[in-house]
Amino acid sequence: MKEFVQKYRPYPQVDLPNREWPNKVIEKAPIWCSVDLRDGNQALITPMNMDQKLELYKLLIKLGFKNIEVGFPSASQVEFDFLRRLVDDNLLPDDGTIQVLVHAREHLIAKTFESLKGVKHAIVHLYNSTSTAQRKIVFQKSKDEIIELALEGVELVKKYEKMHDGTITLEYASESFTGTEMEYAAKNRNAVSAAWGIGAGRQVIVTLPTTVRM
């Protein structure tokens, strides 16, 4: 296997000598979010059906989760119908927040907000890939063009947010983050945060995915 020794490159060192976080102590519990109902389920050969998803959802509620990513409503009918079942059967706790995943494309975002009708508190988990390989091979776009793609997604979420009767928090994930240059990843995320308009009571949740096979 000697010929494959050079196949993988080591992660570049991040030169931040003034970091303060290693010396800080966590003094209160973080906000936990379960993604068990969504994470990859839409891509399985035999995904969870409605009854299985409902059983797992009720268990997560029983365990005390307040934030739950319930699905990928624009990916399949069962994902869409499951969220509608939670709404129509009044299974959403008043003190909880549900989360949904969506790719940065308008017809998918529109479908997602259709599934969210009647939801008081929701996190819209928007994503697009930023890695060197996907920029070159999949999107065939430059770094700036990929940022524009993300910003278009943000503006679409803001557009549908105005028509939604409830609060929306934006979560943004750069898929295949571990294959993305650090400085570019920061530039991309700062652009998204600025476009959303963060401030008191308006936040952006940042996700750094270690995507499968990356």
Side-chain angles (χ1 to χ4, degrees):
M1 296 293 289
K2 289 183 178 180
E3 64 270 24
F4 295 114
V5 169
Q6 302 300 321
K7 184 175 180 180
Y8 297 105
R9 300 174 183 172
Y11 286 111
Q13 292 293 318
V14 180
D15 184 21
L16 293 173
N18 297 322
R19 284 184 295 188
E20 298 179 3
W21 68 262
N23 296 322
K24 292 184 178 181
V25 177
I26 297 175
E27 297 177 343
K28 61 179 181 179
I31 298 173
W32 294 99
C33 178
S34 164
V35 298
D36 303 273
L37 282 164
R38 188 281 307 168
D39 195 16
N41 184 61
Q42 75 286 345
L44 297 176
I45 295 175
T46 308
M48 286 186 285
N49 60 34
M50 179 72 75
D51 291 338
Q52 290 169 328
K53 285 176 73 79
L54 193 59
E55 181 181 0
L56 179 52
Y57 173 80
K58 290 179 178 179
L59 175 61
L60 294 171
I61 293 292
K62 186 178 180 180
L63 289 172
F65 280 98
K66 299 300 182 183
N67 287 12
I68 300 175
E69 189 164 71
V70 296
F72 197 154
S74 63
S76 70
Q77 193 62 45
V78 68
E79 295 282 292
F80 182 94
D81 291 344
F82 175 65
L83 177 47
R84 294 314 309 160
R85 174 81 176 272
L86 297 181
V87 176
D88 295 338
D89 290 0
N90 295 314
L91 296 175
L92 299 176
D94 291 333
D95 61 344
T97 301
I98 64 159
Q99 184 168 302
V100 288
L101 184 70
V102 62
H103 189 50
R105 299 174 66 184
E106 180 161 17
H107 70 289
L108 301 179
I109 293 171
K111 185 74 172 179
T112 299
F113 272 88
E114 182 183 344
S115 74
L116 287 171
K117 288 180 180 177
V119 176
K120 296 178 182 177
H121 307 290
I123 298 170
V124 174
H125 186 176
L126 182 76
Y127 78 96
N128 65 278
S129 185
T130 58
S131 69
T132 55
Q134 293 218 34
R135 292 198 312 262
K136 178 181 178 180
I137 299 168
V138 179
F139 293 104
Q140 298 180 2
K141 292 181 180 292
S142 68
K143 289 180 177 180
D144 288 341
E145 287 174 325
I146 292 295
I147 290 178
E148 285 302 314
L149 182 66
L151 296 182
E152 288 172 10
V154 173
E155 291 305 317
L156 287 168
V157 173
K158 289 170 68 175
K159 169 186 170 181
Y160 287 96
E161 176 194 22
K162 293 177 182 178
M163 297 179 277
H164 180 72
D165 187 18
T167 61
I168 297 293
T169 298
L170 178 69
E171 177 171 355
Y172 177 71
S174 52
E175 184 189 7
S176 59
F177 166 75
T178 46
T180 306
E181 307 91 331
M182 288 292 181
E183 289 185 4
Y184 174 63
K187 180 180 179 181
N188 182 51
R189 291 174 174 284
N190 288 336
V192 166
S193 297
W196 181 249
I198 58 175
R202 189 167 177 84
Q203 301 173 325
V204 171
I205 301 170
V206 173
T207 302
L208 308 175
T210 51
T211 305
V212 175
R213 299 188 185 278
M214 282 300 298

